[in-house]
Amino acid sequence: MPSAIEFPDEFLWGAATSAYQIEGSPLADGAGPSIWQRFAHTPGMVRDGDTGDVACDHYRRYADDVALMHGLGLKAYRFSTSWSRVLPRGRGAVNRAGLDFYDRLVDILLKNGIEPAITLFHWDLPAALDDLGGWLNPDIAGWFADYATTMFRKLDDRVKMWATLNEPWVVTDGGYLHGALAPGHRNRFEAPIATHNLLRAHGAAVQAYRAEGKHRIGVVVNLEPKYPASDDPADRAATARADAYMNRQYLDPVFLKRYPAELKEIFGEAWPDWPAEDLSLIAQPIDFLGVNYYTRNVTRFDAHAWPLRASPVRQTRATYTETGWEVFAQGLTDTLVWVKERYGNPPVYVTENGAAFFDPPTAEGDRVEDPLRVAYLRKHIGAIHAAVRSGVNLRGYFVWSLLDNLEWSHGFSKRFGIVHVDFATQKRTPKDSARFYSQVIATNGRVLNNTSS
Ligand code: BGC
């Protein structure tokens, strides 16, 4: 019989969101536009023409939202700060009102006994910086470090957990290679440059933190284990390329000071030889790694899939979420064990994990039954416990997401929240998954031993 589930006493249970997805009021009180403001207002880019103009109206309702978090018993809250709220043009003059919003949010979280965990960049690049080339301009490392310094000086007296970037892979893949996300480019030559400048910016911000900050800083990546569809050498090589591109592209430089060799194979002449001093900047020691996990991929060779020549294979006997992602909890254990073995067992947090399912409120509107999400969370929390048992240095877990929110180019059509949001009235209704997660927190995971709950 497997040992009973119980997490270490200090295990940090939280929920996560990001600025553009929940705040609304993107131009209020002197804030500047971000590339997501621009992208969402470009016809055809976001489903149904949805935008972050109102979203969850969290910018105005943050106090109620923190009360809700307190009611759920959250120990931590991971959110991102909007660069263009604080620096409307991305650099230069600070918008005091924007900075004050985050100052108030941090204070009220602490008053409610909730640990704030800040991510400095969750995709909403200031539009003014995109006009200067955005992630393609090498100067962005300095601009990002200056913005990060502004945030450290204001909040590091109270914020103990910082992350530089959220999911740089998505920024490069969605923003510069395939074009489905802002700024919407589709260019094999740009993607490697965006990757490298994201990592340089991360390194420069960590360096700034060593000068300014007293607590802990890390980076958040999304990892998706790749399993070969067969033993055919072509499938195995395709799996290695997919793994290098998604899982090692960012972690190898940060932890091992080198890029995976497969990137040259994937990008060909578009992959430059980067200067050694850049890799030294990128490989600054970090205090923790944030891992976002949603799904896995079974991978096969596909000559037509540009530029990876690898494609996912749909599994016939699996459950898929509303975003078309296979539910595969074992992949979370495998991923965490892989991080431990490949990168020397750094302190790790699961900084996002969750699922979109269709879960309408009951006719009375006072309850949302979401059994598929409850099952998803139960399995994945079981999976992180298995990782802890295997010796992974896991310190906490954050569910994605606290609230239903703007799911990027899917607009409001995909709901990831453990709290339902009625976007017409802004009414929040905790779903059954929120109740379940509250019990997980209150019992430090022991509720998972009870199969009937
Ligand atoms: C992102 C979130 C997003 C979630 C679900 C992650 O890639 O960090 O912003 O909403 O996945 O797609």
Side-chain angles (χ1 to χ4, degrees), residues 21 122-123 166-167 170 292 294 325 352 400 407-408 416:
Q21 293 180 276
H122 198 128
W123 309 355
N166 178 73
E167 301 189 353
V170 175
N292 295 351
Y294 289 92
W325 298 341
E352 287 180 29
W400 183 272
E407 178 51 26
W408 306 111
F416 276 88

